[in-house]
Amino acid sequence: MPRVSLTVNGKAVTADVESRTLLVQFLRENLRLTGTHVGCDTSQCGCCVVHVDGRAVKSCTILVQQAEGADVKTIESLAVGDTLHPMQEAFRQNHGLQCGFCTPGMIMTAVDLVARKGHDLDDKTIREELEGNLCRCTGYHNIVKSIAAGAKAMAATTTAQAAE
Ligand code: FES
Ligand code: FES
């Protein structure tokens, strides 16, 4: 069995895996990081989005071996203790979820979006960027609202941290 070594949520991980193991399987089954969900078998839903070297990636679309040496972050990395990440808090405050199944992927996509496109996001941009994330419950309106609010809140957090 091939051996893989990568960093997941700041911790070094090494494991022997079957060569067909997907990154999402490795995260959920080997590491028990079950916040990353599997919502389809066609790479369409985006419930499995994580960050690989700082970019949003559908973790069902790559083998864990392809993440050799990478820095992987999952939804579990965002909150600090009991304090939610500003994007998580924005989803909570703006009712950006119902069943919550799509939410980890939505939030990881949203955090990546802010990193790429900044803190002032219009609805059109957010909707275009959510093309790869499907939600069966909310009708998207509150998800878009949450992401716009979360992007602004992330700017405030960054400014506050810089002032400390
Ligand atoms: S489980 Fe990865 S896109 Fe649906
Ligand atoms: S909140 Fe249920 S699938 Fe999106």
Side-chain angles (χ1 to χ4, degrees), residues 2-161:
R3 174 158 293 197
V4 290
S5 296
L6 58 159
T7 304
V8 180
N9 298 343
K11 289 188 194 149
V13 180
T14 297
D16 295 325
V17 294
E18 286 187 32
S19 50
R20 64 184 175 182
T21 306
L22 297 169
L23 177 59
V24 69
Q25 285 178 297
F26 182 74
L27 295 171
R28 288 180 55 85
E29 295 168 23
N30 291 57
L31 304 184
R32 300 287 171 204
L33 292 169
T34 53
T36 302
H37 292 162
V38 178
C40 72
D41 57 9
T42 51
S43 304
Q44 283 182 312
C45 75
C47 293
C48 63
V49 171
V50 300
H51 294 178
V52 177
D53 291 332
R55 294 298 307 265
V57 169
K58 289 180 174 177
S59 59
C60 73
T61 64
I62 67 168
L63 299 167
V64 65
Q65 286 186 87
Q66 294 174 283
E68 171 69 32
D71 182 21
V72 176
K73 288 204 166 48
T74 70
I75 188 74
E76 286 89 349
S77 72
L78 293 190
V80 180
D82 291 336
T83 305
L84 294 177
H85 183 280
M87 189 60 76
Q88 292 174 307
E89 185 60 32
F91 269 70
R92 192 178 74 81
Q93 286 184 4
N94 292 280
H95 309 286
L97 63 144
Q98 288 184 18
C99 78
F101 198 84
C102 70
T103 312
M106 290 285 180
I107 288 176
M108 295 309 280
T109 297
V111 171
D112 172 68
L113 169 58
V114 174
R116 286 183 294 108
K117 299 216 164 165
H119 299 277
D120 196 11
L121 299 171
D122 59 47
D123 286 9
K124 183 170 176 288
T125 302
I126 296 171
R127 285 179 183 274
E128 278 173 4
E129 292 282 338
L130 286 184
E131 188 189 19
N133 292 75
L134 303 180
C135 176
R136 296 179 187 192
C137 305
T138 66
Y140 297 95
H141 178 77
N142 285 351
I143 292 176
V144 173
K145 206 169 136 192
S146 300
I147 293 174
K152 287 198 168 50
M154 283 172 68
T157 307
T158 309
T159 308
Q161 281 169 349

